[in-house]
Amino acid sequence: MHIPDGFLSTPVWAALDAAAIPAVGYFAGKAHGDAEQSRIPLLGVMGAFVFAAQMINFPVGLGTSGHLVGAALLACTLGPASAAVVMTAILSIQALVFQDGGILALGANIVNMAIFGVLAGYLPYYLLGRGRWRNLALFLGGMLSVLVSATLALVQLIVSGVPIRPLLLGVSAALFVVTAAVEGAITLSVVRAIEGINPGWVARPETSRRPGIMLAATAIGLAAVGVFAASAAPDGIGKILADLGITSQEQILLATPLADYEAGVFQSPWLRKAAAGLAGVALIYVVCALLGRLLARRRSA
């Protein structure tokens, strides 16, 4: 789902970078109104869990894989404003530390997933999530977040002149629907698991540490072990670029020691992946918790 550098035209990535800055600033302003000291760990735990889950690609067919985006999951647990801030932090660290998604294309990825993906994921929950249709709302939110983010990414590539043939576009759309359905199922399962342990935890995380410990342990497990069960096939956007034979156009603007989620200082493949994953989980937790603390401080002020 992340767009690399080298495929968006300058007017497209520049316009989206310019649009992302005030959009994130607006959501940050809305988020601090809801921020409380007791919810600071929630931002860190949910951010770390989504980051770890995004590392696990699952096969969706035809040599393509998908992975959790997490926009709907964050929106339904943190609220859309805080979710947009946390997703922005995740995408920024992925681009700057792990070379996952372009630096120039960061604005596009933020607009696609952290802004419109979060809003699309929250819409069914906002409309239906308080009554008997709650489970359906969670599932549809996960689906809609992926479909909206994927559609925006495809439109941006097409506008930038990437020659996506109609047949390839149709096949890619079908695969994105499969990915979206898996996203919906994961979103529903995680929220129900949290509520099964403590129904009021999201609203009042200070009442119990068990759901937070569960999510933290799962994030650590996914980062340390789960990556070896992940599919090696490219995700939807990567598959499109590979089928078009233009992957060589990708630009790497900043080389990092944790590129491709591997710590190159280790010889063991397991240590390379596990060290990078665990470092990412810790970094995301710290950054998101600090953002939560900053938002809570602004609220109290």
Side-chain angles (χ1 to χ4, degrees):
M1 195 70 69
H2 299 68
I3 301 176
D5 281 329
F7 301 101
L8 296 181
S9 64
T10 300
V12 171
W13 66 253
L16 290 169
D17 283 350
I21 295 172
V24 173
Y26 170 79
F27 280 107
K30 297 288 287 185
H32 86 77
D34 299 326
E36 298 177 2
Q37 289 290 336
S38 63
R39 294 180 61 82
I40 291 173
L42 180 60
L43 270 66
V45 168
M46 291 304 303
F49 175 80
V50 167
F51 169 82
Q54 285 188 3
M55 295 175 62
I56 313 300
N57 283 46
F58 48 83
V60 295
L62 302 179
T64 306
S65 69
H67 62 75
L68 179 78
V69 175
L73 177 59
L74 291 174
C76 295
T77 53
L78 303 178
S82 294
V85 173
V86 169
M87 183 62 77
T88 297
I90 293 172
L91 294 170
S92 300
I93 290 173
Q94 286 173 330
L96 296 172
V97 179
F98 298 96
Q99 292 182 4
D100 186 9
I103 294 176
L104 297 179
L106 180 57
N109 291 323
I110 288 174
V111 168
N112 297 346
M113 289 181 273
I115 305 301
F116 286 102
V118 164
L119 291 175
Y122 188 69
L123 180 61
Y125 185 78
Y126 175 77
L127 296 175
L128 304 171
R130 300 297 188 271
R132 59 183 295 191
W133 304 105
R134 178 179 175 81
N135 289 344
L136 178 62
L138 290 166
F139 179 78
L140 292 178
M143 281 199 70
L144 191 59
S145 68
V146 170
L147 294 176
V148 168
S149 298
T151 299
L152 288 172
L154 290 174
V155 169
Q156 292 155 11
L157 290 170
I158 292 171
V159 171
S160 296
V162 175
I164 305 178
R165 300 180 297 274
L167 178 59
L168 178 58
L169 187 62
V171 172
S172 300
L175 292 173
F176 278 128
V177 170
V178 176
T179 303
V182 176
E183 178 92 15
I186 294 174
T187 301
L188 174 59
S189 298
V190 173
V191 173
R192 290 188 64 179
I194 293 173
E195 292 177 341
I197 296 173
N198 189 322
W201 184 69
V202 171
R204 298 186 61 192
E206 73 276 7
T207 59
S208 174
R209 295 183 180 181
R210 288 180 61 198
I213 293 173
M214 177 196 74
L215 288 171
T218 303
I220 292 171
L222 290 174
V225 180
V227 290
F228 289 96
S231 171
D235 66 7
I237 297 297
K239 179 63 172 175
I240 290 173
L241 301 177
D243 287 346
L244 292 173
I246 59 174
T247 53
S248 60
Q249 292 181 204
E250 181 177 353
Q251 300 174 359
I252 304 298
L253 302 181
L254 177 65
T256 68
L258 297 179
D260 297 323
Y261 299 97
E262 291 194 358
V265 296
F266 297 105
Q267 296 296 320
S268 165
W270 176 77
L271 281 177
R272 286 201 299 267
K273 291 182 177 293
L278 292 172
V281 166
L283 181 59
I284 293 290
Y285 177 84
V286 170
V287 169
C288 291
L290 287 176
L291 285 172
R293 188 174 298 277
L294 177 62
L295 293 174
R297 185 173 299 173
R298 288 181 60 186
R299 180 179 186 272
S300 62

